[in-house]
Amino acid sequence: MKEEWKKVFQLFWSFFKIGPVTFGGGYAMIPLIEKEVVHKKNWVKSEDLTDVFAIAGTIPGAIAVNAATFIGHRIAGIRGAIAATLGTLLPTFIIVLVLCGLLSSFQENPYVESAFFGIRAATVALIVYAGIKIARTSLLDKATYTLALSMILAMLIFHWHPIFVIFLGALLGILIIKIKEKLGMIVRFEKNEEKEIENKAYSVKKQVGM
């Protein structure tokens, strides 16, 4: 019992530290969440975290809060979900309360405006970085690359709603897998890291003439 509550507190504290960077709906938190729960704590695998972010993006609410709830529940059940969610929300709540009292006084301050100018640019960098990290575990073959590129173009050109894109991606994913199975093609749901390492080693040996 003591060990369970210790994990609940660890969840709260981990997400409490990440919470203050909930910019842009929480997408900027994705790299920090991955670093904390995958690399530092070893609570979930990188592939599983990608699935969590995919699900968190399909339901209402900020993706960071949704992801925290899913991760907390996976690690420590209902208590873990509550702890992770509170840890994510509490810092933001405190910051907003403080800013509400200070914003009217500092809104026209050139230093404050300059700071937000830089924060917005840095947030874009974090979101792009998160996209690259997710792409490494989500884009497995030509079909997934084509699907991702098509969705990007559709949103840029036709301004499709993100919810529509997500559900269309799910339907097309099912269709692609069914077609592959009927054609007898290999179906992969995650990257074969061992095979990739072998291929890289073979390429290096070939280059040095071994």
Side-chain angles (χ1 to χ4, degrees), residues 8-54:
V8 168
F9 176 77
Q10 287 177 340
L11 276 165
F12 173 81
W13 180 243
S14 293
F15 282 96
F16 185 85
K17 291 185 295 183
I18 298 171
V21 294
T22 316
F23 295 97
Y27 285 95
M29 289 175 64
I30 291 176
L32 300 177
I33 292 174
E34 182 185 27
K35 184 178 180 180
E36 183 72 19
V37 305
V38 176
H39 302 297
K40 287 182 68 176
K41 300 294 186 182
N42 294 315
W43 282 332
V44 296
K45 294 180 180 179
S46 182
E47 294 80 7
D48 296 333
L49 191 63
T50 301
D51 294 336
V52 168
F53 287 135

